[in-house]
Amino acid sequence: MIRRSLLPLCLAVAPGALLAQTLPSPTPASKVFTREQIGNSLAPPTLDKGKPRANPAAAPRDDGEWTMPAKNYAATRFSAMQEITPANAKNLKPVVTFSLGVNKGQEAAPLVKDGTMYVVTAYPNYVYALDLTKPGAPLKWKYNPKPAPASQGVACCDVVNRGGVLSNGKFIFNTLDGQTIAVDIKTGKPVWKTQLGNINIGETITMAPLVAKGKVYVGNSGGELGVRGWVAALDEGSGDVVWKAYATGPDKDVLIGDDFHPYYASDRGKDLGVKTWPADAWKIGGGNMWGWISYDPELDLILHGTGNPGPWNAEQRPGDNKWTTGIFARDPETGAAKWFYQFTPHDEHDYDAINEQILLDMPFAGKMRKVLVRIARDGYVYVMDRHTGRVLSADPYGPVNSSKGVNLKTGRLILNPAKKTKLGQVVRDICPTASGAKDWNPSSFSPKTGLIYIPHENLCMDWMNLEVNYIAGTPYVGAEVHMKPGPGGNRGVVTAWDPIRRKPAWEYKEKFPVWSGTVTTAGGLVFFGTMDGWFKALDAKSGKLVWKYKVDSGIISQPISYRGPDGHQYIAVLSGVGGWAGAVVSGPVDPRDGSAALGFVNAMSDLPKYTTAGGSLYVFALPH
Amino acid sequence: MPAEQPDHEGVIDTALAPGSTQPAVTTDPRADQYYDNAEAVATGKRLYHQFNCVGCHSNGGGGMGPNLMDDVWIYGGRLTQIHQTLVEGRPNGMPAWGGRIPDDQLWKIAAYVRSMSLPATLAAQHGPTPSQNPAPVPRKADAHAGWAPPRDTTNDYTSTVKGPGQ
């Protein structure tokens, strides 16, 4: 056999800087599975049995305020306001801008209540209260929590914060150095502070807390530093910890007891959080909860995911690595686990399972069912029975070849052995990439159209495992990753997903990954931002672009829609590029190293041409 | 004039020396053996991976920590200064490794870190992963009286960014 493969190797010898600065070729479409090859459902759609909607208990009538990032417990991010429409959106103008004073990735949702807007920034986590009743929205107060500067050195992927929550006269948020703080909204002074995380073992907190039933639910970050994941419930009045549930270790730590009834047999057994790991590996095993928590008031369940197992090098942790990369349903009072499902047992590709879960009542197999929809990092839209944790359907919404669908009998993901990661050997064109077909940035759901608006990415990756030592407070990764564009080359897309028909109604492509959330309105619009600094409105029915506005820096935050003190509809969003995807701009990161920022730089080396670091609030309205 | 405190000079981390028109430079005889030393940068590279430096600074491009391939040195780019940063740590997230890694190994890691921005190391990059073939650190990289390293021992690649219109 003639070894022709030597020839391209010789041609590849070119100036290195040039190579790293050239965007890698997209993974060809022939290397991913088609939707038909892997789509999977227990039953065909029964459209005649009703329309999908959020349960009124979890998504009460819109009062025009926006007091939690997800808008409501069902996480619909839907605004019932109709003043702004596809016909008049072209007239939108900025009415307020405000510099946040922090040029790092801004991922938070601004919050609004009683004519005041509250914004929390990336580290150093300033909180601003702005008076919406006065021209120019002047500052009421600013609170500076002064988190420990060293926390910046254990934050895996920029020093982001995903927002706070308003409840009973308090603005409650987390700081990068692991505190949960409740601030009095009248005075801007802290009512209580609780130190939950320890930066010396690599713990940070970046997620937005959820308040339900008089408790504040918080989880930790640190999946890239060998941090053991947990979710804690704090008393809303005092900040005292009521319960804490770990994602690894013995049942007593995970709060698994007699109430635990997982749907699938593979999740039954004693102390699986120990037995599915090598000796003691669960102590540094990840499973962090840095994303979204939902609450179902009807079933009285807290629903939350768990992050990736550590280290990324899966060969160092044989076993299913429970209870990482899964979803728990828990009793909000005690934390007791009710059910669990693991999306990616023994995760080899950093597919954290912390994305939002949208709670819908939806027709399935001939009747209305209570489901949760999880748009997962591993590339599938999972529709699950939220009562039992059973998977009803799983369909890819982006490029997938690391697995080939879900076995709906066993609940287990069918892995593709060709994409198994290996020590010292580069496995190429794994789809989706480490940050997933979609990362943390949340989708929205419109009861008007019945569609879920998914802001996501189209990226694949090359991956090589490396030996890694655990040293507390330092990265525990053990992989060299190089990301690349997915099939077609557009790195981002907004997909309008029909959860009943299990396919997209439309797709809107973007040059860069879409790292912002979406918000959708009864006026028939979907708003989102781009990493190169455009804030856009799409027609919710057709996906047609109806308006765009250039802001100071890329957008990776969560837009909101609210009713102002004057009764008019406003749209607010933070600019400020960064996060994992934008580290090449917001961090001191060199575009010549494709492995930088955990491999994301390889797919983003051109971003500095399009945007600079920034951080501002923008509020838009129609002329009135 | 402040009283002289020869015992307490430490490693100078600024170009400003009060009462003088020139920046002051710290020289440390311990650094000598790590110049023009191929073994030092090769061993430094191995240790850099072993102690998880790569997790924050990648292969010189940065991530959780700053990039190390360009000509910007927040706390100084002389071997002595890099070594001091490794020993003491820095307030915005750099851990203090002094007493946790043998001193000789810290000097070798410092040499590898300095090597990342050498033109010779950059020229040896093939593919998307830099710093795989580190060139030894020449003595002249530190033989200057200023804050900026001599031009032929570094690069200013990140000084100009061309926009999409170019």
Short mmCIF file of all heavy atoms in Angstrom, two decimals, chain A residues 514-543:
data_model
loop_
_atom_site.label_atom_id
_atom_site.label_comp_id
_atom_site.label_asym_id
_atom_site.label_seq_id
_atom_site.Cartn_x
_atom_site.Cartn_y
_atom_site.Cartn_z
N VAL A 514 -24.33 31.67 19.14
CA VAL A 514 -25.29 32.50 19.87
C VAL A 514 -25.15 32.15 21.34
O VAL A 514 -25.43 31.03 21.76
CB VAL A 514 -26.73 32.28 19.36
CG1 VAL A 514 -27.69 33.19 20.12
CG2 VAL A 514 -26.82 32.57 17.86
N TRP A 515 -24.62 33.10 22.11
CA TRP A 515 -24.29 32.88 23.53
C TRP A 515 -25.21 33.72 24.42
O TRP A 515 -25.01 33.83 25.62
CB TRP A 515 -22.82 33.22 23.77
CG TRP A 515 -22.18 32.52 24.91
CD1 TRP A 515 -21.91 33.04 26.15
CD2 TRP A 515 -21.67 31.17 24.95
NE1 TRP A 515 -21.29 32.11 26.94
CE2 TRP A 515 -21.13 30.95 26.24
CE3 TRP A 515 -21.63 30.12 24.02
CZ2 TRP A 515 -20.54 29.73 26.61
CZ3 TRP A 515 -21.05 28.92 24.40
CH2 TRP A 515 -20.51 28.74 25.68
N SER A 516 -26.23 34.36 23.81
CA SER A 516 -27.20 35.10 24.61
C SER A 516 -28.44 34.23 24.75
O SER A 516 -28.62 33.27 23.98
CB SER A 516 -27.58 36.42 23.93
OG SER A 516 -28.66 36.24 23.02
N GLY A 517 -29.29 34.59 25.69
CA GLY A 517 -30.59 33.93 25.79
C GLY A 517 -31.53 34.52 24.76
O GLY A 517 -31.18 35.44 24.02
N THR A 518 -32.75 33.95 24.69
CA THR A 518 -33.81 34.58 23.89
C THR A 518 -34.92 34.99 24.84
O THR A 518 -35.07 34.42 25.93
CB THR A 518 -34.41 33.62 22.84
OG1 THR A 518 -34.99 32.49 23.50
CG2 THR A 518 -33.36 33.13 21.85
N VAL A 519 -35.71 35.99 24.40
CA VAL A 519 -36.96 36.31 25.09
C VAL A 519 -37.99 36.42 23.98
O VAL A 519 -37.68 36.88 22.88
CB VAL A 519 -36.84 37.60 25.92
CG1 VAL A 519 -36.58 38.82 25.05
CG2 VAL A 519 -38.10 37.81 26.76
N THR A 520 -39.22 35.94 24.25
CA THR A 520 -40.25 36.00 23.22
C THR A 520 -41.48 36.74 23.77
O THR A 520 -41.69 36.77 24.97
CB THR A 520 -40.60 34.60 22.68
OG1 THR A 520 -41.54 34.73 21.61
CG2 THR A 520 -41.16 33.69 23.75
N THR A 521 -42.23 37.37 22.85
CA THR A 521 -43.31 38.26 23.29
C THR A 521 -44.62 37.91 22.60
O THR A 521 -44.62 37.36 21.49
CB THR A 521 -42.98 39.73 22.95
OG1 THR A 521 -42.95 39.87 21.52
CG2 THR A 521 -41.63 40.15 23.52
N ALA A 522 -45.72 38.29 23.25
CA ALA A 522 -47.04 38.07 22.66
C ALA A 522 -47.21 38.93 21.41
O ALA A 522 -48.05 38.62 20.55
CB ALA A 522 -48.13 38.40 23.68
N GLY A 523 -46.43 39.98 21.29
CA GLY A 523 -46.44 40.78 20.07
C GLY A 523 -45.90 40.03 18.86
O GLY A 523 -45.94 40.53 17.74
N GLY A 524 -45.34 38.85 19.08
CA GLY A 524 -44.90 38.01 17.97
C GLY A 524 -43.43 38.16 17.61
O GLY A 524 -43.07 38.06 16.44
N LEU A 525 -42.59 38.42 18.62
CA LEU A 525 -41.18 38.63 18.35
C LEU A 525 -40.29 37.72 19.21
O LEU A 525 -40.73 37.25 20.27
CB LEU A 525 -40.79 40.09 18.62
CG LEU A 525 -41.40 41.12 17.67
CD1 LEU A 525 -41.24 42.52 18.23
CD2 LEU A 525 -40.78 41.02 16.28
N VAL A 526 -39.08 37.51 18.73
CA VAL A 526 -38.03 36.86 19.51
C VAL A 526 -36.83 37.80 19.49
O VAL A 526 -36.40 38.22 18.41
CB VAL A 526 -37.60 35.51 18.88
CG1 VAL A 526 -36.48 34.86 19.69
CG2 VAL A 526 -38.79 34.57 18.77
N PHE A 527 -36.32 38.14 20.67
CA PHE A 527 -35.15 38.99 20.77
C PHE A 527 -33.94 38.17 21.23
O PHE A 527 -34.08 37.30 22.10
CB PHE A 527 -35.37 40.12 21.78
CG PHE A 527 -36.38 41.15 21.35
CD1 PHE A 527 -37.72 40.99 21.67
CD2 PHE A 527 -35.98 42.27 20.63
CE1 PHE A 527 -38.66 41.94 21.28
CE2 PHE A 527 -36.91 43.22 20.24
CZ PHE A 527 -38.25 43.06 20.56
N PHE A 528 -32.77 38.48 20.66
CA PHE A 528 -31.52 37.87 21.11
C PHE A 528 -30.38 38.77 20.67
O PHE A 528 -30.55 39.68 19.86
CB PHE A 528 -31.36 36.45 20.55
CG PHE A 528 -30.98 36.39 19.10
CD1 PHE A 528 -29.66 36.14 18.73
CD2 PHE A 528 -31.92 36.61 18.10
CE1 PHE A 528 -29.31 36.10 17.38
CE2 PHE A 528 -31.56 36.58 16.77
CZ PHE A 528 -30.25 36.32 16.40
N GLY A 529 -29.18 38.50 21.21
CA GLY A 529 -28.01 39.30 20.85
C GLY A 529 -26.94 38.43 20.23
O GLY A 529 -26.92 37.21 20.42
N THR A 530 -26.04 39.06 19.48
CA THR A 530 -24.96 38.32 18.84
C THR A 530 -23.62 38.69 19.46
O THR A 530 -23.46 39.77 20.03
CB THR A 530 -24.90 38.62 17.33
OG1 THR A 530 -24.38 39.95 17.15
CG2 THR A 530 -26.26 38.51 16.68
N MET A 531 -22.64 37.80 19.30
CA MET A 531 -21.33 38.04 19.89
C MET A 531 -20.58 39.17 19.20
O MET A 531 -19.63 39.71 19.76
CB MET A 531 -20.50 36.75 19.87
CG MET A 531 -21.03 35.73 20.87
SD MET A 531 -19.93 34.32 21.06
CE MET A 531 -18.60 35.05 22.00
N ASP A 532 -21.01 39.53 17.99
CA ASP A 532 -20.35 40.67 17.36
C ASP A 532 -21.13 41.97 17.57
O ASP A 532 -20.86 42.97 16.90
CB ASP A 532 -20.06 40.42 15.88
CG ASP A 532 -21.26 39.94 15.09
OD1 ASP A 532 -22.26 39.54 15.72
OD2 ASP A 532 -21.20 39.97 13.85
N GLY A 533 -22.06 41.97 18.51
CA GLY A 533 -22.61 43.23 18.98
C GLY A 533 -23.91 43.71 18.36
O GLY A 533 -24.22 44.89 18.43
N TRP A 534 -24.69 42.82 17.77
CA TRP A 534 -26.00 43.21 17.25
C TRP A 534 -27.10 42.69 18.18
O TRP A 534 -27.05 41.54 18.59
CB TRP A 534 -26.22 42.64 15.85
CG TRP A 534 -25.34 43.27 14.81
CD1 TRP A 534 -24.13 42.80 14.37
CD2 TRP A 534 -25.59 44.48 14.10
NE1 TRP A 534 -23.61 43.66 13.42
CE2 TRP A 534 -24.48 44.69 13.23
CE3 TRP A 534 -26.63 45.42 14.10
CZ2 TRP A 534 -24.40 45.80 12.38
CZ3 TRP A 534 -26.55 46.52 13.25
CH2 TRP A 534 -25.44 46.70 12.41
N PHE A 535 -28.07 43.55 18.45
CA PHE A 535 -29.26 43.12 19.17
C PHE A 535 -30.36 42.99 18.12
O PHE A 535 -30.62 43.94 17.38
CB PHE A 535 -29.63 44.12 20.25
CG PHE A 535 -30.71 43.62 21.18
CD1 PHE A 535 -30.62 42.36 21.77
CD2 PHE A 535 -31.82 44.40 21.47
CE1 PHE A 535 -31.61 41.88 22.61
CE2 PHE A 535 -32.82 43.93 22.32
CZ PHE A 535 -32.71 42.68 22.89
N LYS A 536 -30.99 41.81 18.05
CA LYS A 536 -31.87 41.52 16.92
C LYS A 536 -33.28 41.12 17.37
O LYS A 536 -33.45 40.54 18.44
CB LYS A 536 -31.29 40.37 16.08
CG LYS A 536 -29.96 40.73 15.39
CD LYS A 536 -29.50 39.63 14.46
CE LYS A 536 -28.27 40.09 13.68
NZ LYS A 536 -27.81 39.05 12.73
N ALA A 537 -34.25 41.42 16.50
CA ALA A 537 -35.62 40.96 16.69
C ALA A 537 -36.02 40.15 15.47
O ALA A 537 -35.85 40.60 14.33
CB ALA A 537 -36.56 42.15 16.86
N LEU A 538 -36.51 38.93 15.74
CA LEU A 538 -37.00 38.06 14.66
C LEU A 538 -38.52 37.92 14.79
O LEU A 538 -39.06 37.97 15.90
CB LEU A 538 -36.37 36.66 14.75
CG LEU A 538 -34.85 36.55 14.79
CD1 LEU A 538 -34.44 35.08 14.92
CD2 LEU A 538 -34.22 37.18 13.55
N ASP A 539 -39.17 37.74 13.65
CA ASP A 539 -40.60 37.41 13.65
C ASP A 539 -40.74 36.00 14.22
O ASP A 539 -40.17 35.05 13.68
CB ASP A 539 -41.13 37.49 12.21
CG ASP A 539 -42.62 37.22 12.13
OD1 ASP A 539 -43.09 36.26 12.77
OD2 ASP A 539 -43.30 37.97 11.40
N ALA A 540 -41.51 35.85 15.28
CA ALA A 540 -41.59 34.57 15.99
C ALA A 540 -42.20 33.47 15.14
O ALA A 540 -41.94 32.29 15.34
CB ALA A 540 -42.40 34.73 17.28
N LYS A 541 -43.02 33.85 14.16
CA LYS A 541 -43.66 32.84 13.30
C LYS A 541 -42.75 32.39 12.16
O LYS A 541 -42.67 31.21 11.86
CB LYS A 541 -44.95 33.42 12.68
CG LYS A 541 -46.14 33.42 13.63
CD LYS A 541 -47.44 33.46 12.82
CE LYS A 541 -48.65 33.57 13.73
NZ LYS A 541 -48.75 34.88 14.40
N SER A 542 -42.05 33.36 11.56
CA SER A 542 -41.31 33.04 10.33
C SER A 542 -39.80 32.99 10.51
O SER A 542 -39.09 32.45 9.67
CB SER A 542 -41.62 34.09 9.26
OG SER A 542 -41.09 35.36 9.67
N GLY A 543 -39.29 33.61 11.58
CA GLY A 543 -37.85 33.68 11.77
C GLY A 543 -37.19 34.79 10.95
O GLY A 543 -35.96 34.89 10.91
#
